Amino acid sequence: MLHAFKLFISSRRYLRLLKPYMNTSDTLSQRRRTMAESSPTSPRRARSMSQPPFLSSSSVRLTEELLCCICLEMFSDPVSTPCGHNFCRICLKRYWDNSQIYSCPCCKETFIKRPELKINTTLREITLIFKEKSSQVKSDKFSLRRSEVLCDICDERKLKALKSCLMCQTSYCETHLDLHEKMTLKKHKLLDPVENIKDYICEKHERPLELFCRDDQTCVCAFCTDGDHKNHNTVPLEEESKEKKTQLMKTQTDIQQMIQKRIKKIQEIKHSAELRKRSREQEKAASVELFSDLIRSIERCQTELLEMMEQEQKVEEKQDKDLITDLEQEITELKLRDSELEKITHSEDHLHLVQIDPSSLYRAPDMKNWSEISMKTHVSVETLRRALTQLQETLNEKLTQTVLMKMQQYAVDVTLDPDTAHPKLALSEDRKQVRDGDNQHKVPDNPERFDKCVCVLGKEGFTSGRFYFEVQVKDKTEWDFGVVRESVNRKGLITLSPQNGFWAVMLRNENEYSACARPPVSLCLKVKPQKVGVFVDYEEGLVCFYDVESRSHIYSFTAQTFTEKLFPLFCPGLNAKGKNSAPLIISPVHYKK
């Protein structure tokens, strides 16, 4: 409380010291003050431009030259106009933004085109240096004011004062303070030693400032309440100081709470950043593993393709060799026949010529029809097609497996919400299984409950991010599941489609799979799924369904827009006289690498 009183008195002393400087008649000061009062953008009008007494007259003049005549503060990012005057960049910008003409706020020179503002770097550096020097001088003066106070009574060696008396306006060391108290002066008001005790004394009545006038917001003595402050709301300084301290403590508490909130927010940001970093590292590792597998698969497929091509080449080379051998043999036989015919046609033995068997003479020997045999000039297209198909299937398998593994990282714990379950549905105690219970249960008909469609929703909803869960569908002949938005219609017959807020796939008649789109999309699956994974990326508008066992993609809803909370949807289908009695089971997610 005393500390607050000292600070208040110090502020009054400081104001009194400034009085001689507050009437400076300098022309530039008056002009700047007038400009500031008339400026529509000035945040502080008619602020005193005089400087504290610890600054020299040259410093005062320099200070005035470093003041913006719009805001009356030292320049902040000073800019210069074509006419040579300087202003804060933001002040001049606001001044021109609120004016239809572009003129200098100081000399009123008008510019046809709005000048381009560039920071005067030299003036900015000078301003910064002067601010630092002024701050240092103020700090030094403040430390001098708070320096050691000496006893006013000691004659020779001055001892350190222990207390100051407001009534006596004197500071006492420990020895003289004892003498002071023994001289029936115990009613005098003592306080911690102060350098200039007159700051705590009323100038008009020469009495201690013991009261605070709330009407005029100033400290007064007891005699002031009979004069200028008569009928004013005055209270003891201790009471006002206590109230001010309470307000300060409340403000301090608010500030501390703000600090704690921001510290908590920083921790949340750091935690989120750490989670993202870990996720990125996992994604990087998964990507490296994926591409390493792809490279190995490509290399393996390449090796198999080359081996197959080499094998086919060997077969073809053998076939070519055999064909050449056959051709050479036929050529040899034809040459022999040609030689025989050559001899006969040049023979003069007419009797021998006519006795030759005509069938062997006029008929060419039996040979292969080589025109029907085509020669391969390139690799078989079918061979390349088979190799590429094999490579594509391998790559698709690897990609699907990697994508599924990545999705499984976003697994969430899903339980069933009995308040949404159709009355015929039977839920397990752990809320992980649901089946058609044949009989209708007596349950409240609340707005959240499905009354016609045999459905139930998950208890947990999601409004952002990614989530994944798996559903066992083994031994079932009918089911529907996926995700729905919170506001879907739950009464009467419902058509499952994204337009109605449902993103799901279904099974009918034991082996007829389809996606619940509009119109429905028939799905051709290679194997009958035993467990299906559902992945949702809220921001991307993506809902994917995967066969967990075969690690194959079933169907995806893409480019969707989610604006509400999404809930998992489960429809086990009717019992159908025991053919579809198996439950839908929310299964724990097991990572497979």
Side-chain angles (χ1 to χ4, degrees), residues 281-315:
E281 293 299 328
Q282 292 175 353
E283 290 181 357
K284 288 179 183 178
S287 299
V288 171
E289 182 179 356
L290 168 62
F291 284 103
S292 297
D293 288 345
L294 292 178
I295 291 172
R296 287 192 294 268
S297 299
I298 292 172
E299 291 175 347
R300 184 174 65 253
C301 291
Q302 181 184 25
T303 301
E304 293 175 356
L305 176 60
L306 292 176
E307 290 177 353
M308 183 168 54
M309 294 176 67
E310 288 178 0
Q311 186 176 2
E312 289 189 356
Q313 182 179 359
K314 289 180 181 180
V315 172

Side-chain angles (χ1 to χ4, degrees), residues 12-27:
R12 286 177 56 83
R13 176 194 176 205
Y14 185 75
L15 290 174
R16 289 202 308 274
L17 291 173
L18 286 179
K19 285 182 180 179
Y21 297 87
M22 297 179 71
N23 297 320
T24 304
S25 59
D26 181 78
T27 304

Side-chain angles (χ1 to χ4, degrees), residues 299-515:
E299 291 175 347
R300 184 174 65 253
C301 291
Q302 181 184 25
T303 301
E304 293 175 356
L305 176 60
L306 292 176
E307 290 177 353
M308 183 168 54
M309 294 176 67
E310 288 178 0
Q311 186 176 2
E312 289 189 356
Q313 182 179 359
K314 289 180 181 180
V315 172
E316 291 169 352
E317 287 177 352
K318 184 178 182 305
Q319 291 175 350
D320 293 342
K321 185 177 180 180
D322 292 342
L323 291 174
I324 291 173
T325 301
D326 292 343
L327 285 168
E328 288 177 345
Q329 184 176 351
E330 290 187 357
I331 289 172
T332 300
E333 293 179 0
L334 290 172
K335 283 182 178 181
L336 289 175
R337 178 64 62 88
D338 181 65
S339 297
E340 291 178 0
L341 292 175
E342 180 70 22
K343 289 179 182 181
I344 293 173
T345 55
H346 290 84
S347 174
E348 295 296 334
D349 187 352
H350 303 291
L351 178 62
H352 177 68
L353 181 62
V354 298
Q355 291 179 345
I356 296 175
D357 184 5
S359 61
S360 62
L361 180 63
Y362 305 122
R363 182 172 54 86
D366 293 332
M367 298 289 176
K368 292 181 179 179
N369 185 5
W370 294 98
S371 62
E372 298 178 355
I373 300 176
S374 61
M375 300 295 104
K376 293 183 179 180
T377 59
H378 56 275
V379 179
S380 172
V381 176
E382 186 60 32
T383 301
L384 288 176
R385 184 181 290 111
R386 289 200 306 269
L388 292 176
T389 300
Q390 180 183 355
L391 176 60
Q392 184 67 42
E393 290 178 352
T394 302
L395 295 180
N396 288 341
E397 181 182 356
K398 291 292 182 182
L399 284 171
T400 303
Q401 291 179 4
T402 304
V403 169
L404 182 58
M405 289 170 54
K406 182 178 179 180
M407 291 179 176
Q408 288 176 330
Q409 297 175 6
Y410 298 97
V412 294
D413 184 21
V414 176
T415 55
L416 301 174
D417 184 2
D419 292 336
T420 65
H422 184 277
K424 288 188 65 178
L425 292 180
L427 278 58
S428 61
E429 292 185 1
D430 61 359
R431 302 289 189 266
K432 293 291 186 179
Q433 301 184 24
V434 57
R435 62 179 178 82
D436 178 14
D438 288 330
N439 299 322
Q440 191 118 339
H441 297 49
K442 292 183 179 180
V443 292
D445 186 18
N446 50 288
E448 297 85 7
R449 190 179 306 281
F450 291 90
D451 65 349
K452 294 296 182 183
C453 292
V454 188
C455 301
V456 61
L457 299 185
K459 185 74 173 178
E460 300 77 15
F462 304 89
T463 57
S464 63
R466 303 168 179 173
F467 61 94
Y468 173 87
F469 59 94
E470 292 180 352
V471 183
Q472 180 177 309
V473 295
K474 185 178 180 181
D475 298 329
K476 292 195 67 62
T477 60
E478 181 180 325
W479 48 254
D480 312 70
F481 59 83
V483 293
V484 301
R485 62 171 177 243
E486 186 174 17
S487 64
V488 293
N489 178 31
R490 309 184 189 191
K491 306 301 181 182
L493 297 178
I494 301 171
T495 300
L496 304 186
S497 70
Q499 291 79 2
N500 294 334
F502 294 81
W503 293 267
V505 292
M506 65 169 60
L507 168 66
R508 294 292 184 269
N509 300 323
E510 193 170 353
N511 56 11
E512 296 177 3
Y513 298 92
S514 61

